[in-house]
Amino acid sequence: MKLVLITAAAVLAASPAFADCQSDAQAQTDKVRTEHQLLSNQANAPLAEQCQTGSRLIAEAKRLNAIRRNCQAQLQLTAQELQQQDQRIQAADQEYTARCGG
């Protein structure tokens, strides 16, 4: 019983629901924007650089989507909005794989 409570407390403490969802989402959005801007500025850069930045962008977008899912109620997001984000990330992942490989 004690182990179950400790485990539950650890899960709750790690949950973004107990953090400030709005500021977590904003900070992660800023990271996504930064990586997106960097990728936009690399139009003439070597493919390897573009792929590296693209990989970071996708990773940051996935983190943002996880925050949005965990904070759906606080951020007032609909299931449809989350699904659209999933689809955008999946499309970006496929484009990255096609351009840069696995």
Side-chain angles (χ1 to χ4, degrees):
M1 176 76 165
K2 191 174 187 177
L3 180 60
V4 171
L5 291 176
I6 291 171
T7 303
V11 168
L12 290 176
S15 172
F18 286 86
D20 183 0
C21 286
Q22 191 68 40
S23 58
D24 288 349
Q26 185 59 51
Q28 192 60 34
T29 297
D30 291 345
K31 289 179 183 179
V32 170
R33 265 194 210 113
T34 299
E35 291 298 331
H36 185 268
Q37 186 62 40
L38 184 58
L39 186 60
S40 295
N41 292 339
Q42 290 180 332
N44 296 321
L47 183 60
E49 279 183 46
Q50 293 177 29
C51 290
Q52 196 172 43
T53 303
S55 177
R56 287 194 313 264
L57 173 58
I58 291 169
E60 296 296 354
K62 286 179 179 181
R63 286 186 197 100
L64 175 57
N65 214 32
I67 291 169
R68 287 177 172 163
R69 284 199 175 287
N70 289 331
C71 297
Q72 181 178 357
Q74 294 90 334
L75 297 174
Q76 301 176 346
L77 298 170
T78 66
Q80 183 179 9
E81 289 170 319
L82 293 174
Q83 185 179 17
Q84 288 171 342
Q85 288 295 343
D86 284 340
Q87 290 169 345
R88 286 184 192 130
I89 291 170
Q90 185 177 22
D93 240 343
Q94 290 172 350
E95 182 181 334
Y96 172 83
T97 301
R99 279 193 79 178
C100 303

